[in-house]
Amino acid sequence: MYMVNGVLTDVFPVSDRGLQYGDGVFETVLMHEGKPVLWREHLERLERGCRTLRIPYAVNDAGLSASIKEVYDRYHRVGAPSVARCVIKIMITRGGGGRGYRPSQNSHPSEIISIHPLPEIPLEIYQSGIAVRSLKASVSQNPTLAGLKHLNRLDQVMASMELGEDEFEGMMHLPNGDLIEGTKSNVLAKINDRWVTPEISGAGVKGVLRQYLLARSINWGLPVEETRLGQAELADLQAMAIMNSVFGIIPVNRFNETELDVHSVLQEVQASVHKEIPFF
Amino acid sequence: MYMVNGVLTDVFPVSDRGLQYGDGVFETVLMHEGKPVLWREHLERLERGCRTLRIPYAVNDAGLSASIKEVYDRYHRVGAPSVARCVIKIMITRGGGGRGYRPSQNSHPSEIISIHPLPEIPLEIYQSGIAVRSLKASVSQNPTLAGLKHLNRLDQVMASMELGEDEFEGMMHLPNGDLIEGTKSNVLAKINDRWVTPEISGAGVKGVLRQYLLARSINWGLPVEETRLGQAELADLQAMAIMNSVFGIIPVNRFNETELDVHSVLQEVQASVHKEIPFF
């Protein structure tokens, strides 16, 4: 179910710059018992994305919340599975205007809200973890766009096509080998007994849960630092987890050929995060 | 005027992966007296793009040509400026299917054909040239996607926003300073009396006219080589031109603070290319 600029519809102007150039940003938000999870953090990133891309969309908490509520209520009324949990996607595009790359001064942004079932996540992987391997498709290096959740997601599409049916996630690197992120998640790693996450300065997405952890985890006695994760650092890898704002923290039990310690993920990170946020 | 999968319409499914992820490719084709210019080269790149992205769209010359003719004929019938020249844009997206980055096996590609007036190009710049400067927005480094004309064009959008009203084009670099391309053009440079064009192995678009020149220009006594254009090479810059398949060859008379030789562009490159291809 899609709502475009306040109207329920399945279609969209073909001239919109979101389609023509991927000129926009998005957020994927977990809904728990009718409420968006990590909502303030999503709003902040949406605002930051629009500002960086200079899309003149004023992020308005009350307006967006009302629209989400309308979509959510209708979705349940029309007989969708009456689950307590689902996913809302918010896309903001620059709108129409401006043939050619340069936007016109009078483009009006488009707001698209859609609702989707929660992706299927086997519950046992929260305890046993998953094996991940490095994928061949590179993550694009571009300091201008790094961090944003923009609509140019071919990197993730190409990497995802390498995954087998039974692989939940895979790892993406820069051409130089540095580990940056999963196709749909950020990475936490334990190296020399410290928790770190790859630096997102030249490439990658600053996931909402990643930013939440960087800002709050020190209060839980779980300091997380940003660092480069090159081959040297990865050689000392002890434990690893993937994280995003829809599924929370999932341990990694093997990265390529290296067996990893799942126990410390469960005890240290997952316990802290899942105590704060209702991921499952 | 837009034609989506054979039907004239202004709208498009909002669920299409072209909008959701920029999951597709496009070509911008000059029409001269009702015929697409550099058509074989455009078809080849379209085919290569779909193959690399694994979009199951079979490029069909006869079918596409018939669709273009239909759009072109209607455009002129409905009272569009009766110009001999215009631009056709062909977009192929992966279509619907697959929530999340990974495409579904049964997605059906979408074909979008649109027609547009020729961008305004002041004729005098073909003789006097233009001044260009380096823009701040980086071009994304990604060997997996380099060369393709895909729908992830935020790099070009960001760079174009830096251009003033009176600037026809600007130059895009890698974060390390290497010159890659213009926002809407490839670059030809004369260095140590040889014509070169930046290597597109890790970043950038392999423009159709660029590929045409690389393949044919040796027959005209105008060998063009691919090379890295780092700061060292740029220090020896003698002449420069921008090129694309819509406007042809336009000399650059100044690059940042360096005055450049326009005469050799006009005599050597532009004369040869514009003799072969009817750019204006």
Side-chain angles (χ1 to χ4, degrees):
Chain A
M1 182 178 286
Y2 291 87
M3 190 163 81
V4 178
N5 296 324
V7 178
L8 285 179
T9 174
D10 288 331
V11 294
F12 194 68
V14 63
S15 57
D16 193 280
R17 296 175 59 94
L19 173 62
Q20 300 288 323
Y21 307 119
D23 194 359
V25 291
F26 73 108
E27 295 291 325
T28 307
V29 184
L30 175 64
M31 295 288 284
H32 176 75
E33 293 173 359
K35 301 266 184 244
V37 174
L38 290 167
W39 181 232
R40 206 181 68 188
E41 288 76 7
H42 282 294
L43 287 178
E44 277 170 12
R45 185 173 59 182
L46 198 59
E47 199 279 319
R48 196 165 59 242
C50 290
R51 194 175 58 230
T52 307
L53 299 185
R54 294 166 55 193
I55 293 177
Y57 173 83
V59 174
N60 176 317
D61 181 357
L64 263 180
S65 296
S67 298
I68 287 176
K69 186 173 182 329
E70 187 182 339
V71 171
Y72 181 84
D73 288 347
R74 280 175 182 261
Y75 182 68
H76 283 80
R77 272 209 301 280
V78 298
S82 87
V83 286
R85 304 162 67 74
C86 59
V87 172
I88 289 276
K89 183 169 175 178
I90 304 167
M91 291 174 59
I92 307 298
T93 77
R94 199 183 306 273
R99 235 280 302 162
Y101 297 125
R102 192 165 180 227
S104 131
Q105 293 294 350
N106 44 28
S107 66
H108 293 283
S110 290
E111 175 197 285
I112 304 162
I113 296 172
S114 57
I115 188 162
H116 310 272
L118 200 69
E120 274 180 47
I121 304 165
L123 269 181
E124 67 271 19
I125 68 176
Y126 283 98
Q127 291 302 311
S128 57
I130 56 170
V132 298
R133 62 187 170 89
S134 297
L135 304 174
K136 290 193 200 83
S138 297
V139 53
S140 289
Q141 200 158 13
N142 185 329
T144 315
L145 299 174
L148 304 186
K149 191 130 180 179
H150 52 63
L151 294 177
N152 281 200
R153 296 264 74 96
L154 266 175
D155 295 3
Q156 283 69 29
V157 171
M158 295 300 286
S160 298
M161 285 195 288
E162 295 180 46
L163 292 174
E165 283 290 346
D166 57 340
E167 287 180 293
F168 184 78
E169 181 57 302
M171 292 293 116
M172 299 180 67
H173 299 253
L174 287 183
N176 76 0
D178 284 7
L179 174 63
I180 301 293
E181 61 197 3
T183 68
K184 54 178 178 266
S185 62
N186 285 120
V187 168
L188 260 178
K190 191 175 189 178
I191 291 172
N192 297 325
D193 293 323
R194 299 156 77 112
W195 287 102
V196 297
T197 188
E199 215 172 66
I200 307 288
S201 53
V205 176
K206 288 185 177 173
V208 155
L209 185 55
R210 175 188 187 274
Q211 299 311 106
Y212 184 91
L213 266 184
L214 285 170
R216 310 272 189 98
S217 59
I218 197 158
N219 301 335
W220 314 338
L222 177 76
V224 175
E225 291 164 60
E226 296 172 277
T227 186
R228 189 181 152 196
L229 274 192
Q231 293 305 317
E233 291 79 12
L234 289 172
D236 294 326
L237 191 63
Q238 298 165 294
M240 192 186 241
I242 57 169
M243 57 179 163
N244 77 19
S245 63
V246 168
F247 60 61
I249 304 282
I250 293 172
V252 172
N253 57 38
R254 187 155 53 86
F255 172 55
N256 293 330
E257 304 309 314
T258 311
E259 301 291 331
L260 296 170
D261 163 27
V262 167
H263 184 74
S264 65
V265 174
L266 298 178
Q267 293 296 306
E268 298 169 34
V269 191
Q270 196 191 67
S272 304
V273 173
H274 291 188
K275 192 172 66 183
E276 298 266 326
I277 309 169
F279 279 118
F280 60 87
Chain B
M1 183 179 285
Y2 292 86
M3 190 162 81
V4 177
N5 296 323
V7 178
L8 286 179
T9 174
D10 289 330
V11 295
F12 193 68
V14 64
S15 58
D16 193 280
R17 296 175 60 93
L19 172 63
Q20 300 288 324
Y21 306 120
D23 194 359
V25 291
F26 73 108
E27 295 290 327
T28 307
V29 185
L30 175 65
M31 295 290 283
H32 176 74
E33 292 172 359
K35 301 267 184 244
V37 174
L38 290 166
W39 182 232
R40 205 181 68 189
E41 288 77 8
H42 281 294
L43 287 178
E44 278 169 13
R45 185 172 59 182
L46 198 59
E47 199 280 317
R48 195 164 62 241
C50 289
R51 194 174 60 233
T52 307
L53 299 186
R54 295 168 54 196
I55 294 177
Y57 173 83
V59 174
N60 175 315
D61 182 356
L64 262 182
S65 295
S67 297
I68 287 177
K69 188 174 179 330
E70 187 183 338
V71 172
Y72 182 84
D73 288 348
R74 281 174 181 262
Y75 182 67
H76 283 80
R77 272 210 302 282
V78 297
S82 88
V83 284
R85 304 163 66 74
C86 59
V87 172
I88 289 276
K89 182 169 176 178
I90 304 167
M91 290 175 59
I92 308 298
T93 77
R94 199 183 305 272
R99 234 283 301 166
Y101 297 125
R102 193 166 180 226
S104 133
Q105 293 293 351
N106 45 29
S107 65
H108 293 282
S110 291
E111 176 197 285
I112 304 160
I113 296 173
S114 57
I115 187 162
H116 310 271
L118 199 69
E120 275 180 46
I121 304 166
L123 270 180
E124 66 272 17
I125 68 176
Y126 283 98
Q127 291 304 310
S128 57
I130 56 170
V132 298
R133 62 188 170 88
S134 297
L135 304 174
K136 289 191 202 88
S138 297
V139 52
S140 289
Q141 200 159 14
N142 186 330
T144 315
L145 299 175
L148 304 186
K149 190 128 178 180
H150 53 63
L151 293 178
N152 281 198
R153 296 264 74 95
L154 266 177
D155 296 3
Q156 282 69 28
V157 171
M158 294 300 285
S160 298
M161 285 195 287
E162 295 180 45
L163 293 173
E165 283 291 344
D166 57 340
E167 288 180 292
F168 185 78
E169 181 57 302
M171 293 293 117
M172 297 179 69
H173 299 255
L174 288 182
N176 76 0
D178 284 8
L179 175 63
I180 300 293
E181 61 197 3
T183 67
K184 53 177 178 267
S185 62
N186 285 121
V187 168
L188 261 177
K190 192 174 189 177
I191 290 172
N192 298 327
D193 293 323
R194 299 156 77 113
W195 286 103
V196 297
T197 187
E199 217 172 64
I200 307 287
S201 54
V205 176
K206 289 186 177 171
V208 155
L209 184 56
R210 175 188 188 273
Q211 300 311 104
Y212 184 91
L213 265 183
L214 284 170
R216 311 274 189 95
S217 59
I218 197 159
N219 301 335
W220 314 338
L222 177 75
V224 175
E225 291 165 61
E226 296 171 276
T227 186
R228 190 183 153 196
L229 274 192
Q231 293 305 317
E233 291 79 12
L234 289 172
D236 293 327
L237 190 64
Q238 298 163 295
M240 192 187 239
I242 57 169
M243 57 180 163
N244 78 18
S245 64
V246 169
F247 61 62
I249 304 280
I250 294 172
V252 171
N253 58 35
R254 186 155 54 86
F255 171 56
N256 294 331
E257 304 309 315
T258 312
E259 302 289 330
L260 296 170
D261 163 26
V262 167
H263 184 74
S264 65
V265 174
L266 298 178
Q267 294 295 307
E268 298 169 36
V269 191
Q270 196 191 67
S272 304
V273 173
H274 291 187
K275 192 171 68 185
E276 299 263 327
I277 309 169
F279 278 118
F280 60 87

